[in-house]
Amino acid sequence: MRVANQWKQYRILDTSEQEKLETWNGISLVRPDPQVIWKTPKKHPLWHRADGHYSRSSSGGGSWSFAKKLPVSWKMPYEPLGLTFKIQPTGFKHTGLFPEQAVNWDWMTQHIQGAKRPISVLNLFAYTGGATLACAAAGATVCHVDASKGMVQWARENAALSCLTDKPVRWIVDDCEKFVAREIRRGRRYDAVIMDPPSYGRGPGGEVWKLEENIYDLVQLCAGVLSNMPLFFLLNSYTTGLSPAVMGYLLGSVLKPKFGGNVTADEIGLPVEQSGMVLPCGSTAIWQK
C-alpha cells in the first residue's frame, strides 16, 4: 500500500464503527467511512467532543451537527508541495479534499520534474484541483476538466490560495467524455492523463454512469488523446469492488500494445494515530513509459 504520510495539518486520530475521527488544521470532524467495519473502543476524547459530526440518515443522505460555530471555510496547507486548499464541510459529508491523494501528487511532481521537457497534463473529473495544482506547481501545462461549475470554481480558489493563478491552467466545465472526444477531433494531445471518475452518476441527459461498466471504454477513448511521447496515465478508483489488480490489467490492456511501458497498481491509504495502522482509501493504477 502507498501511504500519504507527509501531512502535518491533517490527521486521522482514530477509526471505529463505520466512522473516522479527523483533524483538519486544528478542527476536528467525525465522518462516515463504510470500510471501517471494526468496532474498536472509542478511547480518544475527541470522539465525544468533535467540532463537527456528519451522521447518515436512515432515509438516505445525512446532515452535519456542530459543537460550536465553525468558520464557513478554512485553509489547509500541504507543506511538501507548498499547496493550500479551502476546506468546507458539504452536504455530502465531504470537505472538498481527499488527503490520501497527496501520495499521487508527490509521485506526479517527481515524474513531471524528472521528465526534463515540457509536459502537458489532462486532469479529468478534476474536482477541486489537488492534482491540477500539484502538476502546475511542478511546471506542467494543465487542462482541468469537471462537469460541476461549482467544483471548478473551488479549484480556481485553491489555485489562488496556492499562489498558482499565473500558471498555464485551462479551467473547463464540461462532460469529461465529450470533452476528450472533441480534443481528439481537434488534434490536441497530452503527455499525461489523470482520471478520478465517480463510482456512479448520471449525466445531464439522465445517462447512467457505472464505473465497472463504462471505465474500459473511457480509458480506451483517452488513449487517443495521448501524445507520441506520453509520460504517464493515472487512474483512481474508490469503488470497493474494483481491485487494484483489475485496474492495472485494464490500463495495461489498453496502453501497453500501443506505447509499451509498465503498469503498477496498489491501494492508497492514510495513517491512523490510535492504532498505528493504515486506513485503506481507494486504489490507484499507473501506466508509465
Side-chain angles (χ1 to χ4, degrees), residues 2-3 18 57 74 86 102 122 136 145 150 154 174-175 200 209 222 227 237 267-268 271 274 286-287:
R2 299 165 57 230
V3 183
Q18 297 194 332
S57 168
W74 62 95
K86 182 184 83 169
L122 176 61
V145 187
W154 195 331
D174 203 348
D175 176 88
Y200 178 85
W209 162 275
C222 290
S227 69
S237 172
E267 288 184 289
I268 58 176
Q274 189 76 18
I286 303 172
W287 171 90

Side-chain angles (χ1 to χ4, degrees), residues 14-20 31-42 47 240 267 272 277-280:
D14 197 10
T15 60
S16 182
E17 298 182 50
Q18 297 194 332
E19 292 185 318
K20 54 190 174 186
R31 296 191 297 151
D33 191 321
Q35 292 198 105
V36 180
I37 61 173
W38 43 92
K39 301 177 182 179
T40 49
K42 293 183 175 181
W47 275 116
T240 54
E267 288 184 289
V272 180
M277 295 187 284
V278 175
L279 177 67

Side-chain angles (χ1 to χ4, degrees), residues 24 27-31 48-55 62-74 87-95:
W24 297 78
I27 294 179
S28 56
L29 301 177
V30 175
R31 296 191 297 151
H48 309 291
R49 51 181 177 86
D51 298 320
H53 190 162
Y54 187 92
S55 301
S63 61
W64 286 96
S65 60
F66 298 102
K68 65 179 182 180
K69 185 175 177 59
L70 297 181
V72 174
S73 64
W74 62 95
I87 302 302
Q88 182 174 335
T90 71
F92 301 97
K93 86 171 182 178
H94 299 303
T95 63

Side-chain angles (χ1 to χ4, degrees), residues 112 119-123 131-137 139-145 167-171 190 194:
I112 289 169
I119 297 296
S120 59
V121 177
L122 176 61
N123 187 14
T132 293
L133 302 189
C135 293
T141 299
V142 186
C143 182
H144 173 110
V145 187
K167 296 296 183 181
V169 178
R170 296 168 64 206
W171 305 100
Y190 297 88
I194 304 162

Side-chain angles (χ1 to χ4, degrees), residues 24 31 64 85-101 105 122-133 142-159 169-174 176 194-198 236 238:
W24 297 78
R31 296 191 297 151
W64 286 96
F85 301 94
K86 182 184 83 169
I87 302 302
Q88 182 174 335
T90 71
F92 301 97
K93 86 171 182 178
H94 299 303
T95 63
L97 185 67
F98 291 92
E100 64 274 8
Q101 287 298 324
W105 306 339
L122 176 61
N123 187 14
L124 302 172
F125 310 95
Y127 196 49
T128 59
T132 293
L133 302 189
V142 186
C143 182
H144 173 110
V145 187
D146 197 282
S148 168
K149 184 178 180 179
M151 290 300 105
V152 174
Q153 178 56 36
W154 195 331
R156 296 183 73 133
E157 292 177 43
N158 285 336
V169 178
R170 296 168 64 206
W171 305 100
I172 306 294
V173 179
D174 203 348
C176 290
I194 304 162
M195 188 186 300
D196 200 346
N236 285 305
Y238 291 92

